[in-house]
Amino acid sequence: VQLQASGGGLVQAGGSLRLSCAASGRTVGSYTMGWFRQAPGKEREFVAAISFFHMTLYGESVKGRFTISRDNAKNTVYLQMNNLKPEDTAVYYCAAAQRLRVGVQDYDYWGQGTQVTVSS
């Protein structure tokens, strides 16, 4: 499974960005897709995940501001990020897992990451 994340950039606080992650490879459609982020000097943090049947989980710090969605026909998952804050600044990674989980160790495949920077 190969994952290609895109859509990062520089945005002012209060702004919005939409990240995309295109998946390719064997049976990717059945995988749970997740987003994680990692800021400098910090551990990788769970952001959101969505199962094949569109069940979702969110990290506490992004609930109500971020929305994860997927288009199974396009093998693509999205992360709509609204009301961005400077503390959202990080490299965002998409990942694929067998089940809907929040742990880094539960994800088998990872994309290369896309930088999101939120200025105050």
Side-chain angles (χ1 to χ4, degrees), residues 4-119:
Q4 181 72 40
S6 61
L10 173 65
V11 64
Q12 289 187 332
S16 299
L17 280 176
R18 189 176 83 152
L19 305 183
S20 299
C21 177
S24 60
R26 50 187 282 267
T27 62
V28 297
S30 63
Y31 277 74
T32 280
M33 300 298 295
W35 288 97
F36 289 77
R37 66 187 182 187
Q38 189 165 20
K42 294 189 177 181
E43 294 186 352
R44 195 164 293 191
E45 174 190 20
F46 173 75
V47 175
I50 185 167
S51 71
F52 177 78
F53 294 106
H54 299 262
M55 293 181 64
T56 58
L57 292 173
Y58 291 94
E60 286 298 322
S61 62
V62 306
K63 280 183 179 178
R65 300 187 298 122
F66 291 11
T67 302
I68 190 170
S69 61
R70 67 188 293 166
D71 184 334
N72 289 336
K74 295 182 178 179
N75 287 333
T76 301
V77 62
Y78 306 97
L79 185 68
Q80 178 66 43
M81 306 186 294
N82 296 330
N83 191 21
L84 282 159
K85 303 175 181 180
E87 51 263 44
D88 294 317
T89 295
V91 177
Y92 283 70
Y93 298 90
C94 62
Q98 298 277 359
R99 293 179 176 83
L100 188 62
R101 294 288 189 270
V102 302
V104 170
Q105 68 279 2
D106 297 313
Y107 286 74
D108 303 309
Y109 303 98
W110 292 84
Q112 85 289 1
T114 185
Q115 176 71 47
V116 171
T117 303
V118 184
S119 63

